[in-house]
Amino acid sequence: MQPKIKDVARLAGVSVTTVSRVLNGEKYVKDDLKQKVTLAIQELGYAPSHIARSLVRNKTNLIGVIVPDITSSFYATILSSIEEAASENDYNLLVCNISENIDKEHKYLNVFQEMRVEGIIIMHEKINEDIRNLIQKMKIPVIFSSVKPMGQEFVSVIVDDYKAAYDATAYLIGLGHEAIGFLGGDMRDITSGQNRYSGYRNALTDSGIKIIHEHIRFGDYKVKSGYEQMKELLRVKQPPTAVFAVSDDMAVGAMNCIRDNGLRVPEDISVMGFDGSQLTELTRPTLTSMEQPIHEMGKVTMKVLLGQVENGDVPTSDIILEHRLVARESCKARSTST
Amino acid sequence: MQPKIKDVARLAGVSVTTVSRVLNGEKYVKDDLKQKVTLAIQELGYAPSHIARSLVRNKTNLIGVIVPDITSSFYATILSSIEEAASENDYNLLVCNISENIDKEHKYLNVFQEMRVEGIIIMHEKINEDIRNLIQKMKIPVIFSSVKPMGQEFVSVIVDDYKAAYDATAYLIGLGHEAIGFLGGDMRDITSGQNRYSGYRNALTDSGIKIIHEHIRFGDYKVKSGYEQMKELLRVKQPPTAVFAVSDDMAVGAMNCIRDNGLRVPEDISVMGFDGSQLTELTRPTLTSMEQPIHEMGKVTMKVLLGQVENGDVPTSDIILEHRLVARESCKARSTST
DNA sequence: GTGAAAGCGCTAACAT
DNA sequence: ATGTTAGCGCTTTCAC
C-alpha cells in the first residue's frame, strides 16, 4: 500500500494542507517546513495520488486516442508525435488500437467517458451512426487526425486530399504518362478516399486525358491490397505506364507485384505513393510519394485539441496542412520508345 | 458537466445505493427498481466515474507501458497484442513512447506511480541505476517484454537469444557459408545484444570456422545503422558471403546497402534478419529471419503480469518463448564458383 | 430489499 | 503562514 499525504504530514509534523501546499508549489510555506515536508516525501517515496487529485480538481489530464492500426507506420508516426505533444503539455494518453473493429471503438469510447478523458483524438473515419451519436452525447471535445469522416459535425486536421491527389497525378502527367492507374482506398463513408479519387480524375480530364475505367481499382490502403489490385491492373490488355496509389503501403504492394511479374519500377511502370511514411526510404527503388506532414499533423492535432480543452477555443473548420511531393526513384519520364 | 450517480438516483426516485447496486450487478434489487434505474441511466447518458470508483475500490485497472520506439514495426506489433490482451481483461493502457530518452522514462515511471497503475510493462533494456532503484522503490509489479536488462532482479518474456543467434548462424553455415558477417546491436547493458553475439561466435567456432574480427560490426538495431555498418563490411578486402543482422530493420538496411553498391542479395551476399517483423514480407527479395513469436510475446507478457497483479503469482524466472527460423529468399547456398 | 452515512486521498475555502 | 473542515463521486458497512 502506497503512502498517503497523511503519512507525509505525520512524519513531517505538519498538517496535510501544508504538505498539499508544498506539493503544489504554493508560496506561503516557510522554508524550514518546506524542507521537512520534502524530506518526508523523499523518505516515504511518496507520490500524490492522481486519482484523488483528479476527483477533487475535476481534471484528469487524460487524452483518449483511437488508432485504427498501430502497426501501420503512418499511424504509429502520428501517434508518436501526438504522444510527444501530450507529454510536453503534461497530458497522458490512453491509447486504443481498434484493429478496424467497430465494436471495440464503441467500447473504448465508453471507457474514455468513464475515465473522464478531457479530449479524444480519432484517426479512424469509418464511423457509423451509432458512434456518431455516442460521440455527440458524450460532450467531450473530439478531433479527427489525418482522416475526415463524412459530414460537417466534426473537425479534422488533414491535408487537402483533393489537391494532393490532383498534384500527384499532374506530376505523373508531367512526366509524359497518360495511362495512369489508380489504386484507391475504401470509398464507403470515406471523404479522403473520395477526394483523392476526384483529384485523380480531374487532373486527367483537365489535361485532356481520357479516364480508363479498367485502370481504376479500389482496396483498403494496405500493402496486400496494393499487391492484389496491381495484379488486376497488370491483367488488362493495355496496362498503365504509371500508377498512383493512395497510400505508401499500397504503393509498396504494387511495386512488389510489378517486380514479381517480371517488370521493373520505374522503367516499365512508375509508382507514386501517398503519405510519406518511413517506407519511402526503405524500398528499392525508393518511393516517390505525395507526403503528408505527419509529424506536424500530430503536433497540430494536439495543439488544437488542447486549445479547446483548456481555453474553450472550438475550431470552426478543418485545419488544412500543406502536402508536399517528394520525388524519389520510383517515378520516371515515360520512355518515348512507344 | 457529466451526470453523477446522485442525478440518476433522483431521476429514478431511489437512493444512490440502489443505483450503485444496479451498476455493479448485485442481486438484491427488485426488478421494477432495476428497470427505473436503467432507464434513468439511459436518459442521462450516465457513465460511472472511473476516477471515483478507483479511489474507493483502490483499483485502477490501468497498466503502464514503456515503449522505446513506437514507430518500429517490431514494438508496434508487440504493443498491439498487449493492447488486445489488456482489452480482453478489462485493463487499459497508459502508453509512453520514450524515443530512447531516459529522462522521459524516469518522468513516466513517476506518472505511472501517481496514476496508481497496477502493473508496468517495459520494452526497453537500457535501464540505469537510477531507473533500477526507482522501479524497485515503487513496489509495482514490473515485467520486461522482448528485452532483458542486465542482472537478475527483473523478469523478462523473451526468446533464448543465444540459441536463436546460434541457430541462425548455423543455418548460414549449413548453406555453405564460412565468411559470415555479424551486424550486432548495442552491447552496453544489453543482455540480448551480448547473447546474440555469443551465439553467433559459438556457432562459428563449433563448426571450426575462424572468427574474423573485421566481419563484426555493432550498431543500434535500426535500418540506418544496418546500412552504415554493412558499408563497412563491404570495405574489407574479403567481404562476407553472408550476413546475420540482429534485427530485421538492420537486415533491410544491409540489403539496401548491398544493392546500392551494385551487388545482389542473395546471389552475392545472403542476409539473415532477426525478429520476424512485417518487413520480412515487404522486401524484395523477401527476408529470411530468425523470428520471435511477437504476437504470443505480447499475450504472454500480459498474462504473466496480470497473474501477478490479480493473484500475486510472482514469476520466479524469465519466460522463454520459442524462436523459429523462417526461410525466405534472402539467403541461399553459397555459390561454389570460388 | 433498500437507504443513511462513513470514508477512499486529496484540494480549497475558511478560520486563525 | 498554518491548520480545520467540507466535499469531489463513488462503494460499502450497517441499520432498518
Side-chain angles (χ1 to χ4, degrees):
Chain A
M1 173 104 345
Q2 305 255 13
K4 330 168 188 314
I5 197 170
K6 218 172 175 177
D7 301 319
V8 177
R10 186 158 31 218
L11 183 58
V14 299
S15 73
V16 293
T17 313
T18 302
V19 178
S20 175
R21 289 201 175 101
V22 173
L23 247 30
N24 295 289
E26 278 178 41
K27 24 209 167 198
Y28 304 119
V29 182
K30 272 203 181 137
D31 275 358
D32 58 328
L33 280 198
K34 197 183 284 181
Q35 284 296 328
K36 278 191 204 165
V37 171
T38 313
L39 240 61
I41 289 175
Q42 285 279 329
E43 191 167 331
L44 293 174
Y46 170 77
S49 161
H50 186 262
I51 311 287
R53 280 181 151 176
S54 296
L55 188 60
V56 46
R57 296 211 266 231
N58 199 25
K59 178 146 186 32
T60 59
N61 281 53
L62 239 38
I63 299 289
V65 185
I66 291 182
V67 194
D69 176 17
I70 209 181
T71 271
S72 132
S73 145
F74 177 69
Y75 291 118
T77 307
I78 300 192
L79 183 57
S80 126
S81 63
I82 285 178
E83 201 273 349
E84 205 179 310
S87 173
E88 282 167 9
N89 290 280
D90 287 318
Y91 279 80
N92 294 113
L93 254 37
L94 225 45
V95 176
C96 159
N97 179 42
I98 57 169
S99 325
E100 318 280 4
N101 179 342
I102 293 277
D103 288 347
K104 219 168 159 188
E105 182 162 11
H106 194 123
K107 176 188 157 186
Y108 259 100
L109 284 171
N110 262 318
V111 170
F112 286 171
Q113 193 186 0
E114 294 189 354
M115 297 278 251
R116 302 296 191 257
V117 301
E118 301 184 35
I120 295 176
I121 296 173
I122 302 181
M123 300 195 234
H124 178 247
E125 55 197 337
K126 286 194 222 162
I127 55 171
N128 55 26
E129 268 316 303
D130 173 40
I131 301 285
R132 196 179 291 272
N133 292 333
L134 185 59
I135 292 177
Q136 296 189 314
K137 234 179 138 180
M138 294 198 311
K139 307 235 171 237
I140 300 175
V142 170
I143 191 164
F144 284 77
S145 192
S146 84
V147 297
K148 176 158 187 57
M150 300 298 285
Q152 298 302 322
E153 315 101 290
F154 304 117
V155 167
S156 287
V157 177
I158 37 167
V159 294
D160 183 334
D161 284 297
Y162 171 82
K163 192 152 188 314
Y166 189 102
D167 292 350
T169 310
Y171 174 80
L172 293 174
I173 295 171
L175 288 178
H177 295 282
E178 294 192 348
I180 299 175
F182 181 77
L183 295 176
D186 196 326
M187 292 281 281
R188 292 165 299 168
D189 304 331
I190 307 262
T191 317
S192 318
Q194 296 178 1
N195 288 343
R196 290 182 197 173
Y197 181 47
S198 310
Y200 158 79
R201 291 178 64 98
N202 287 2
L204 288 183
T205 48
D206 284 359
S207 290
I209 299 174
K210 252 218 319 263
I211 287 160
I212 302 172
H213 287 289
E214 309 187 282
H215 285 175
I216 297 171
R217 310 284 318 176
F218 294 97
D220 68 0
Y221 293 102
K222 298 195 181 157
V223 177
K224 194 166 175 201
S225 93
Y227 195 99
E228 299 301 332
Q229 298 308 322
M230 188 68 219
K231 206 188 280 174
E232 298 303 320
L233 247 37
L234 291 178
R235 273 210 190 109
V236 308
K237 337 107 249 191
Q238 288 271 328
T241 62
V243 171
F244 170 38
V246 297
S247 80
D248 288 337
D249 281 8
M250 286 189 94
V252 169
M255 288 212 296
N256 284 343
C257 178
I258 291 168
R259 189 193 156 110
D260 289 352
N261 281 276
L263 296 171
R264 290 157 308 161
V265 177
E267 290 79 0
D268 297 308
I269 302 182
S270 288
V271 174
M272 159 87 68
F274 198 108
D275 282 348
S277 76
Q278 297 175 336
L279 281 180
T280 55
E281 303 278 358
L282 293 192
T283 57
R284 288 299 180 273
T286 52
L287 181 62
T288 294
S289 179
M290 175 52 76
E291 306 205 355
Q292 305 192 51
I294 309 187
H295 195 254
E296 186 191 355
M297 206 167 246
K299 292 282 185 189
V300 171
T301 301
M302 203 64 201
K303 192 177 150 206
V304 175
L305 182 62
L306 289 186
Q308 180 172 358
V309 168
E310 298 183 340
N311 312 320
D313 298 340
V314 183
T316 56
S317 64
D318 291 336
I319 289 91
I320 310 295
L321 304 182
E322 292 299 315
H323 56 269
R324 192 170 63 110
L325 195 151
V326 178
R328 295 196 183 80
E329 301 164 352
S330 66
C331 295
K332 72 180 276 282
R334 178 181 159 214
S335 56
T336 48
S337 59
T338 45
Chain B
M1 174 103 344
Q2 305 255 16
K4 329 168 187 314
I5 197 170
K6 217 173 175 176
D7 302 319
V8 177
R10 185 155 32 215
L11 183 59
V14 300
S15 75
V16 293
T17 313
T18 302
V19 178
S20 175
R21 289 204 174 100
V22 174
L23 247 30
N24 295 290
E26 279 177 40
K27 24 210 165 191
Y28 303 119
V29 182
K30 273 202 181 137
D31 276 358
D32 58 327
L33 280 198
K34 197 183 281 181
Q35 283 296 328
K36 279 191 202 166
V37 170
T38 313
L39 241 60
I41 288 175
Q42 285 280 327
E43 190 168 331
L44 294 173
Y46 170 78
S49 161
H50 186 262
I51 309 289
R53 281 183 150 173
S54 297
L55 188 60
V56 48
R57 297 211 265 231
N58 199 24
K59 175 141 185 41
T60 59
N61 280 55
L62 242 35
I63 300 288
V65 185
I66 292 183
V67 194
D69 176 17
I70 207 181
T71 271
S72 132
S73 147
F74 177 69
Y75 292 118
T77 306
I78 299 191
L79 182 57
S80 129
S81 63
I82 287 178
E83 201 273 348
E84 207 177 309
S87 173
E88 282 166 8
N89 291 280
D90 287 317
Y91 279 80
N92 293 112
L93 254 37
L94 226 45
V95 176
C96 159
N97 179 43
I98 58 170
S99 324
E100 319 280 3
N101 178 344
I102 293 275
D103 288 348
K104 222 170 157 186
E105 182 161 10
H106 195 123
K107 176 188 155 184
Y108 260 98
L109 285 172
N110 262 316
V111 170
F112 286 170
Q113 194 185 0
E114 294 189 355
M115 297 279 251
R116 303 295 191 256
V117 302
E118 300 183 36
I120 296 176
I121 296 173
I122 303 182
M123 300 195 235
H124 178 247
E125 56 198 334
K126 286 193 220 161
I127 55 171
N128 54 28
E129 268 316 302
D130 173 39
I131 300 285
R132 196 178 290 271
N133 291 333
L134 186 58
I135 292 177
Q136 297 189 313
K137 236 181 137 177
M138 293 197 311
K139 307 232 170 238
I140 299 175
V142 170
I143 192 165
F144 286 77
S145 191
S146 84
V147 298
K148 175 155 187 62
M150 300 298 285
Q152 299 301 324
E153 315 101 288
F154 304 117
V155 168
S156 287
V157 177
I158 38 168
V159 295
D160 183 335
D161 285 298
Y162 170 82
K163 190 149 191 316
Y166 188 101
D167 293 349
T169 310
Y171 175 78
L172 293 173
I173 295 170
L175 289 178
H177 295 281
E178 295 192 349
I180 299 175
F182 181 78
L183 296 176
D186 196 326
M187 291 280 282
R188 292 165 298 168
D189 303 331
I190 307 263
T191 317
S192 319
Q194 294 178 2
N195 287 344
R196 291 181 196 173
Y197 181 46
S198 310
Y200 158 79
R201 290 179 63 100
N202 287 2
L204 289 183
T205 48
D206 284 358
S207 291
I209 299 174
K210 252 220 321 263
I211 286 159
I212 303 171
H213 286 288
E214 307 187 284
H215 285 176
I216 297 171
R217 309 282 320 176
F218 294 97
D220 67 2
Y221 292 102
K222 298 197 182 156
V223 177
K224 194 166 175 202
S225 94
Y227 195 100
E228 300 301 333
Q229 298 308 323
M230 187 67 219
K231 206 187 280 175
E232 299 302 322
L233 286 189
L234 291 179
R235 272 210 192 110
V236 307
K237 332 98 260 185
Q238 288 272 329
T241 63
V243 172
F244 170 38
V246 297
S247 79
D248 289 337
D249 281 8
M250 286 188 94
V252 169
M255 288 211 296
N256 284 343
C257 178
I258 291 168
R259 189 192 157 110
D260 290 352
N261 282 277
L263 296 171
R264 290 157 308 162
V265 177
E267 291 80 359
D268 297 308
I269 302 181
S270 286
V271 175
M272 159 88 66
F274 197 108
D275 282 348
S277 76
Q278 298 175 334
L279 280 181
T280 55
E281 302 279 356
L282 294 192
T283 57
R284 288 298 180 274
T286 51
L287 181 63
T288 293
S289 179
M290 177 51 76
E291 306 203 356
Q292 304 192 50
I294 309 187
H295 195 254
E296 186 192 355
M297 206 167 246
K299 292 281 184 191
V300 171
T301 301
M302 203 65 200
K303 191 175 150 209
V304 174
L305 182 62
L306 289 186
Q308 181 171 0
V309 168
E310 298 184 340
N311 313 320
D313 299 339
V314 182
T316 57
S317 64
D318 291 335
I319 289 90
I320 309 295
L321 304 181
E322 291 300 315
H323 55 271
R324 191 171 64 110
L325 195 150
V326 177
R328 295 196 185 80
E329 301 164 352
S330 67
C331 295
K332 71 183 276 281
R334 178 180 159 214
S335 56
T336 46
S337 58
T338 43

